[in-house]
Every structure is written in structure tokens, then in C-alpha cells.
Amino acid sequence: MSQWKQIQQLEMRLLEHVDYLYDDNFPMDIRQVLAGWIESQDWDTAVDDESMAAVLFTNLLSQLEKVRLLEQNFLQRHNMKIIQQQLQLKYSTNPAVMARVISTCLREERRILSSACTQEQGPLEKSIQNSVAFERQKTMDNRVGVIRGSVQLMDQAVKYIEDMQDDFDFRYKTLQSRESSDRNSDIMKQEVPRLQEMLNRLDFKRKEILSKMDVVIKEIDDLMTTQLSPELQDWKRRQQIAAIGGPLLTGLEQLQSWFTLTAQSLFQIKRQLDKLGELVVKVTYESDPIPLQKPQLEERVKYLIYHLIKSSFVVEKQPCMPTHPQRPLIIKTGVQFTTKVRLLVKLPEVDYQLKVKTTFDKDLPPGRVRQFFILTNNTKVMDIEDYSNGCLSVEFRHLQLKEKKYINGTKGNEGLLSVTEELHSLSLEACFTVQGLTIDLETCSLPLVVISNVSQLPGGWASVMWYNLLTDEPRNLAFFGNPPRSNWSQLSEVLSWQFSTFAGRGLNKEQLAMLVEKLLGQHASCGDYQVSWSKFAKENILGKPFSFWMWLDSILDLIKKHLLPVWNENYIMGFVSKEMERALLKDREPGTFLLRFSESHLGGITFTWVEHSHNGDVKFNSVEPYTKNRLSALPFPDIIRDYKVISDGVVPENPLKFLYPDIPKDEAFGRLYNSQPSKGKNHKTFASIHTYYPHPHLTTTL
């Protein structure tokens, strides 16, 4: 069954999350009509390969055109034509962007399917995808709309005051232009009280509009403090979670709308205050409220504009090497990385080009000896993106780091922290003037890990996961000086995300239970234990030369490079202890086998099968683990198909009959075979098999 068909069978709660994935950047109509073709293409590779992305883009348009011509419904044909034109305009000059969008959607679909299989959301996912958040957004929409309506009414009120003042001004000047002899006439005596009444009403209206402005400004201040700022912080937290494999980050366009509408209201109030200032020049009087109250109101409006725009300068895409799109926030020296910032406010005017400058390691903690600088051009001008509704953004695509040299020509020595525990930061700054208000903008990336060798990548990713799981502080570069512990319920969710992100299918409860026992010992699966950073990533597993994370990451790498089809078919039980393995197999048909990852080797997979002797004894046989070196030579399904053993001169035969629990081997793996069966070549003999009976002293660990 195709991935898209599986998606369509999900419950409504999960389908709502799918709905968030698709917009004008990648319409769901395309996903629907080209489902099979889209899933058969390698979008992940195309993200970093411009020529491949261009070919896929051309092919997608061609496929869409074929479907359009076959479509009988006129309206559907018309809609497809519009979509084709939009895609052409959006991606023709940069097809790799389209590849990234589709790759992200497919990956997020797999994650949603994986969460459906586990039947229960973890605590992190629940916290960022709940009904309270949706209700909060509705409230925010309503409140912003009410403020905009109030400001529009104030516009009308200011215009009314202007018309009233013009009428008063005309009558007053007309009265003054009369001859002195006429001023005692009955008409004049009637006009003076009328003018006084008009002035009183004008004074009342001026006080009224200033009072309304005061109320609306307070409302905007409260909106920014109690709702807009928390929504921004919530988005930033969700960005952290998305960075480590969590749900796809959404909501930036919604935030942008709120920020822009709020800014528009403030700019409009500022113009209204300017207009009131103009009115005072023409007509003023003793105890005029405008000169008394306008300066304070202006200062408050400027303060709110300043802080609103300043907080709207955000890192839209955290620093990431294009070679490792699924592991952001790790930068290797000498390798290009990208980042993108956006201003969430649509500005009415900018007095000059808004240049953004990047700086690395601006504020390092005391005692840090490794420092870096940006080798390439670190300044770019913000521009308006077609699909950002007029907001400014800029993407740095070719940044590169180099480590600083010291006076003696050597690099700095490492301190107490390991290379992958040292956190760094990328700062982005700009300065501009809008409506006479000069604003200094500054934001920073989430903490980064800088490596000099790809072998440090797993350790770096462990640091990135641990930091973004356990803190929402944007710039705690001293975090690993005293790293906090993690609850297993949180950590297990993030570990499952690694498998759904990298391998397409997350971990179930049984697999996670085995992992926590391996990490913390027997019976650890019975409670929500706390895990230390050292236990997770630094200390070696008892009796092994590697840590828990290095072992788990090597399995991820093995699945991604050599076992992906088998893993996604759910044929690999994977994480199961030998004791559980024996309990599962002992009552099964002879030749029943299961697949699990090696506990004693980095990146190894093994299989064990059961045999029954004539006297009723149960015997278990297992093979030396297959690692990436062996799997690079022959696909794993072919190994299972061609596996044979020789015993006491008996004709070689394949002992593997049924994949646990009772699936015939060829039925399970038949469509995954990549080559013809080998002729006369035995891939295994008893020399490479460990046989163990259900007695502890004969057990062999794999």
C-alpha cells in the first residue's frame, strides 16, 4: 500500500496534522494525483543536487501535464493548469527548494504514520499539538481583529474632529474679520455662544479620541505581553523540537500575520497622533488636551513599535549543512552551511537597504579556548519574498567557518568540555530607520556544535538533542558545564523520532522498553526513570567499548544505508534481549527466525532461528552480526534467501523457514530480493554460527 493511501486511512486527529503540511508551496492536489510517482523519486538526494532537482522538477511538470490532459472534469483541468503555472513561477529558478519542500512533506508523513502505529503521543508531542493551542490561536485572531476594528474607527473619529475643527476655524476667522462696529450686533452676540459651544464639543471630542487611543494602546501593550510574545516563544520552542526530529514546524505565517496587523495598528495610531499634532497648530486653546497627552502617547506607541519589530527578527531556518539536512545545528569547519532570518513585520517604508551581518562566537563563556570566525562574505541585504506576503527575509547559503589561530600559530587547546559539548552561537544583526524611528535588530541561532571531522557528528548530534530537549533557553552556551537529567519518557520520544526521521518508522513500546533496560538496567521499564547526560552519551556500556548513544546511532546509520526496506516493512524486531528472543522462539515451528540488532557490535544485525531435536530439546542458532562492510557487498534480503549451513556432510540447506511469528520467508522478503539466487555458493557454515541451548552456561552474546 502506498504511503499516501495509508495516510488517507488515518483518524481525523492525525489527518488534521497532514493538512498543515500542504499549502501553495506544495498543493495537496499534486500529492493526490501524483502519489505513486512522487513516492518513487529520491527527493532527499535532490535537495543537495541542483541538476537532479532540475530534472525532477521538469518531470513533475510533465507528469502533471499528462494527468491534466486525461482529466475529464473541466474545473479540475483548469485548477491543474493554474497549479502548473504557479509551480513554474515559484521553482523554475531554484528547483532544489521544491525538492526540499516535498522531501520534508514525505518525511513528516512517515512520522505521522509512525505515531499512528504507536497509538499514543509522547509528552513532547502532546505539549505542542493540543486543543488548547488551537483555542489560543482563535482567541488571538479575534483579539487582533477587534484592535484593528477599533483603530479603523479612530481613523473616522480623527477625520470627524478635523471636519469639526475646520468648521469652527472658518466661523471663528469669519467672526474676527468683521468690523469692530459689527461685533456688538445681535448676530454677533448669537455667534459667540455658538462658537463657544463648538469649541466645547471640539474639546470633548479631542479628549474622547485621546482616551480611546489610550485604551487601544493599553490593549496592544497587553496583547504583545500576554499573547503575542508567548506565541512567539511557543513557536521558537516548537522550532527546537522540530530540529531534533519532532513534528513539522508550522505557524510562522500565522505569527507573521499577527505581528504585521499589530504593527499596522501601531503605525496607524502614530499617524493619527501626527494628525492631531497638525490640528493643534491650527487651533489650540487653554487646557487643550492634545499638547498635554500626545507626547506620552507617542512615546508609548514608539516604544511598542520598537519592541514589536525588534522581537519580530527571527531565525526562520537554523544553521545547517546541506550535506546533513536532518542534523541541523552541527557545523563542520571548511564546509558550507546555510541559515535564514525573517522580519515578521511588513514595513510601510524602509529608508535604506536593510543589511544583515552575521557574527560567530560573539559572546563566548569565560575560559572557552576554541573560537571560530566566518571565512566567507558575512553580509547580505534583506529582500521581499514572493510567498511571504511582503515581509523581508534573507538566506545565507554559503557561510563557512574557520578556527582562529593564535600568536604561536597553533589552534586553541580543548578545555574541560569535549569538542561536541562546546556550544557556539551565530549572531545576526541589522539596523534601519522606519518612520523616523531607528531600530537595532539582533537575533541569534540556537547553540551550535562545531566539529572538525565527520566522526564527531554522532557526538555532536547527541549534544544537540540533549540541549533542545531539556531547555528552551536560546543561548545557554555553558549548558554542558552542568547538564540536567532527562526523564526517560521524554528521551524515549526523541529517540523514536530519530528512527521515524532517518528510517521512516519509529520505535514501539516493546523496543523502547528494551532500550531503557539496556541503558539503565533490568526493571527500568517499570517507571519514568531519569537519565544522566553522561550515562546517555559519555560512559561506555558495561563491558563494551562504546556508549549507549554511539551504539544506537550506529544502528540508525546501518538501517538508513542498508536495511531501510526491511525496517519499513516492520520485519526487524530489532531491540530484543536474548532472553526474550528465546522465549519468543522456543514454541515456534523449526526454522522460525527473527532479526535483531547486535548488542556487542556497533552497527550490526543478526538473526537467530530455532530447531527442535528428535528428543524434544530446543536449540537456538545465531550468526555473527552483519555490519556495513558485509552488507555493502550483498543486500540483506539476498543474504537471508541464500543463507545455507553444512553439517556432518549433509547437503547445504537454508535453515530459515519462517520470519517470526509465522510468515514464510519468501512471502516476507520475496519482493525485496535484488539479485538471482547464488549457485553453489554458501554464505555461511557452522563455523560462523553460535548454537545455544536453553541453559545459561551455553549462551553466546551477540
Side-chain angles (χ1 to χ4, degrees):
M1 185 185 298
S2 72
Q3 181 171 305
W4 186 242
K5 284 185 178 179
Q6 293 178 61
I7 286 288
Q8 291 172 309
Q9 294 177 5
L10 294 173
E11 59 181 285
M12 187 56 65
R13 173 181 64 85
L14 295 171
L15 285 175
E16 288 177 356
H17 299 321
V18 175
D19 184 54
Y20 278 114
L21 302 178
Y22 296 97
D23 52 23
D24 291 342
N25 292 323
F26 184 35
M28 192 179 288
D29 308 61
I30 301 179
R31 184 68 181 94
Q32 171 72 25
V33 299
L34 299 181
W37 182 84
I38 286 172
E39 291 173 29
S40 67
Q41 310 305 309
D42 188 358
W43 300 102
D44 292 344
T45 302
V47 169
D48 303 310
D49 188 331
E50 288 284 350
S51 60
M52 183 177 178
V55 171
L56 284 178
F57 177 59
T58 302
N59 290 346
L60 183 142
L61 293 177
S62 176
Q63 292 288 330
L64 197 56
E65 177 66 11
K66 289 178 183 177
V67 173
R68 189 182 73 84
L69 293 175
L70 293 172
E71 178 59 55
Q72 298 299 313
N73 185 292
F74 173 76
L75 182 59
Q76 289 289 348
R77 289 183 66 175
H78 172 76
N79 290 341
M80 285 187 194
K81 184 176 181 181
I82 297 300
I83 290 173
Q84 279 180 284
Q85 292 171 347
Q86 290 174 340
L87 291 176
Q88 191 78 42
L89 287 171
K90 193 181 292 287
Y91 298 123
S92 58
T93 57
N94 197 354
V97 173
M98 182 201 70
R100 184 181 295 112
V101 169
I102 297 178
S103 172
T104 301
C105 288
L106 293 176
R107 185 169 68 249
E108 185 63 11
E109 283 181 8
R110 292 193 294 270
R111 192 200 62 76
I112 293 171
L113 286 171
S114 177
S115 68
C117 292
T118 61
Q119 298 179 341
E120 184 178 340
Q121 288 181 306
L124 285 171
E125 194 160 349
K126 282 181 180 177
S127 70
I128 60 178
Q129 293 185 344
N130 55 46
S131 57
V132 175
F134 292 117
E135 288 301 319
R136 217 173 52 226
Q137 291 171 7
K138 287 181 182 178
T139 303
M140 187 74 175
D141 283 334
N142 292 335
R143 197 171 178 188
V144 170
V146 168
I147 289 173
R148 288 295 296 148
S150 299
V151 174
Q152 298 292 354
L153 289 175
M154 289 195 308
D155 249 5
Q156 298 174 22
V158 171
K159 183 68 171 64
Y160 179 78
I161 291 171
E162 183 181 16
D163 292 341
M164 182 189 295
Q165 178 173 303
D166 287 345
D167 188 24
F168 170 83
D169 191 44
F170 174 76
R171 287 173 177 268
Y172 182 77
K173 288 180 178 177
T174 301
L175 180 65
Q176 282 199 320
S177 66
R178 298 284 182 104
E179 295 289 340
S180 58
S181 58
D182 295 336
R183 293 182 183 176
N184 294 320
S185 66
D186 291 340
I187 297 176
M188 290 295 292
K189 288 178 181 178
Q190 294 174 5
E191 185 69 12
V192 169
R194 190 178 296 122
L195 283 173
Q196 184 61 55
E197 183 182 344
M198 290 180 69
L199 185 60
N200 290 343
R201 183 161 177 75
L202 181 63
D203 180 62
F204 173 79
K205 285 295 181 182
R206 285 186 172 186
K207 289 176 179 176
E208 184 181 56
I209 189 64
L210 290 168
S211 176
K212 287 181 178 177
M213 285 182 175
D214 179 61
V215 170
V216 174
I217 292 169
K218 284 179 180 176
E219 179 71 7
I220 293 175
D221 192 354
D222 185 69
L223 173 81
M224 289 172 55
T225 304
T226 64
Q227 286 188 273
L228 194 54
S229 179
E231 287 291 343
L232 178 60
Q233 295 310 311
D234 178 69
W235 179 85
K236 289 181 177 180
R237 179 58 182 155
R238 287 187 287 114
Q239 186 184 48
Q240 284 185 273
I241 298 302
I244 57 176
L248 181 70
L249 181 63
T250 59
L252 190 61
E253 285 70 25
Q254 181 65 75
L255 263 179
Q256 182 176 292
S257 173
W258 292 333
F259 267 86
T260 295
L261 290 172
T262 304
Q264 287 173 349
S265 294
L266 287 169
F267 284 127
Q268 199 166 347
I269 294 172
K270 187 175 182 301
R271 288 193 296 271
Q272 292 166 359
L273 287 168
D274 290 341
K275 187 64 180 178
L276 292 179
E278 294 173 9
L279 296 181
V280 170
V281 174
K282 295 180 181 178
V283 175
T284 190
Y285 46 87
E286 187 177 350
S287 300
D288 186 348
I290 294 179
L292 293 174
Q293 298 180 39
K294 177 176 172 285
Q296 292 91 338
L297 293 175
E298 278 184 326
E299 285 304 311
R300 286 165 60 193
V301 169
K302 286 180 180 178
Y303 175 87
L304 292 175
I305 290 174
Y306 179 87
H307 286 279
L308 181 70
I309 294 178
K310 197 172 179 68
S311 64
S312 78
F313 192 52
V314 299
V315 180
E316 180 180 349
K317 293 180 183 176
Q318 292 293 333
C320 180
M321 295 186 292
T323 51
H324 295 83
Q326 294 169 341
R327 289 195 167 178
L329 303 173
I330 302 176
I331 309 300
K332 182 178 178 296
T333 52
V335 174
Q336 290 184 352
F337 66 96
T338 67
T339 191
K340 182 180 181 181
V341 289
R342 185 191 287 198
L343 197 63
L344 297 178
V345 172
K346 182 179 179 181
L347 297 172
E349 61 177 271
V350 178
D351 291 351
Y352 53 85
Q353 286 186 327
L354 185 51
K355 294 183 178 179
V356 179
K357 180 182 179 181
T358 60
T359 309
F360 205 81
D361 279 347
K362 183 179 179 182
D363 299 305
L364 281 180
R368 183 66 61 81
V369 290
R370 285 203 323 150
Q371 296 184 34
F372 302 86
F373 65 95
I374 296 174
L375 191 62
T376 47
N377 180 27
N378 66 339
T379 303
K380 288 188 74 173
V381 176
M382 297 191 85
D383 200 2
I384 296 175
E385 286 186 326
D386 294 335
Y387 56 86
S388 66
N389 297 320
C391 285
L392 294 167
S393 67
V394 61
E395 184 169 12
F396 292 85
R397 294 187 178 183
H398 306 291
L399 296 175
Q400 206 171 58
L401 290 184
K402 186 173 183 178
E403 189 168 354
K404 288 183 178 179
K405 301 265 185 167
Y406 292 81
I407 296 175
N408 59 5
T410 61
K411 297 179 181 179
N413 297 319
E414 294 181 14
L416 297 175
L417 300 177
S418 69
V419 168
T420 55
E421 290 175 313
E422 285 186 3
L423 299 179
H424 303 262
S425 181
L426 179 71
S427 302
L428 300 108
E429 301 169 305
C431 180
F432 72 105
T433 301
V434 56
Q435 293 196 351
L437 188 65
T438 299
I439 302 176
D440 294 312
L441 299 175
E442 181 176 3
T443 189
C444 66
S445 70
L446 290 167
L448 306 169
V449 174
V450 181
I451 61 175
S452 56
N453 192 293
V454 290
S455 63
Q456 298 166 331
L457 191 65
W461 186 240
S463 297
V464 170
M465 286 192 297
W466 204 261
Y467 182 95
N468 291 287
L469 167 63
L470 296 176
T471 181
D472 58 3
E473 293 181 79
R475 205 173 187 173
N476 183 2
L477 303 186
F479 177 82
F480 283 103
N482 184 24
R485 291 171 173 262
S486 170
N487 291 330
W488 172 249
S489 59
Q490 291 179 303
L491 180 59
S492 63
E493 188 177 6
V494 174
L495 295 181
S496 183
W497 287 345
Q498 305 314 301
F499 283 82
S500 57
T501 299
F502 284 86
R505 184 172 63 82
L507 303 177
N508 58 36
K509 288 182 179 180
E510 292 73 21
Q511 291 168 327
L512 290 171
M514 184 271 177
L515 286 181
V516 71
E517 287 185 6
K518 185 171 183 64
L519 181 59
L520 299 177
Q522 294 262 340
H523 311 300
S525 58
C526 300
D528 191 12
Y529 286 79
Q530 289 200 324
V531 183
S532 70
W533 163 245
S534 181
K535 190 77 173 175
F536 174 70
K538 300 187 75 174
E539 297 175 13
N540 286 343
I541 297 173
L542 186 62
K544 305 294 187 296
F546 45 78
S547 68
F548 173 83
W549 169 247
M550 290 300 291
W551 171 73
L552 196 63
D553 184 69
S554 68
I555 291 171
L556 273 169
D557 188 60
L558 188 74
I559 293 174
K560 185 176 181 181
K561 292 179 179 176
H562 302 289
L563 302 172
L564 207 53
V566 185
W567 173 260
N568 284 324
E569 290 291 347
N570 204 15
Y571 291 159
I572 301 176
M573 188 168 290
F575 304 103
V576 57
S577 66
K578 284 188 301 145
E579 292 74 15
M580 177 59 70
E581 180 183 62
R582 278 180 269 175
L584 293 171
L585 290 174
K586 66 185 178 68
D587 296 325
R588 292 293 167 179
E589 288 290 322
T592 300
F593 66 100
L594 59 77
L595 310 176
R596 67 178 176 87
F597 298 116
S598 171
E599 297 182 65
S600 58
H601 291 68
L602 283 178
I605 186 169
T606 183
F607 49 82
T608 298
W609 71 92
V610 63
E611 292 179 353
H612 299 280
S613 64
H614 296 296
N615 60 8
D617 289 340
V618 179
K619 184 171 64 173
F620 302 94
N621 301 293
S622 59
V623 297
E624 286 284 352
Y626 290 88
T627 60
K628 61 183 179 181
N629 291 334
R630 301 173 72 186
L631 294 175
S632 297
L634 193 65
F636 192 56
D638 291 3
I639 290 175
I640 292 173
R641 179 195 62 196
D642 298 336
Y643 184 86
K644 291 182 175 65
V645 295
I646 303 174
S647 177
D648 300 327
V650 178
V651 176
E653 65 173 24
N654 192 327
L656 309 178
K657 307 299 182 185
F658 303 98
L659 177 66
Y660 181 86
D662 54 9
I663 308 173
K665 177 189 63 181
D666 290 336
E667 180 182 318
F669 296 97
R671 54 198 181 81
L672 302 179
Y673 297 151
N674 286 346
S675 62
Q676 294 298 316
S678 60
K679 304 284 186 180
K681 182 177 179 179
N682 301 327
H683 295 291
K684 282 290 175 186
T685 66
F686 261 117
S688 58
I689 299 172
H690 292 285
T691 302
Y692 55 91
Y693 297 84
H695 301 291
H697 65 279
L698 292 176
T699 299
T700 303
T701 301
L702 292 179

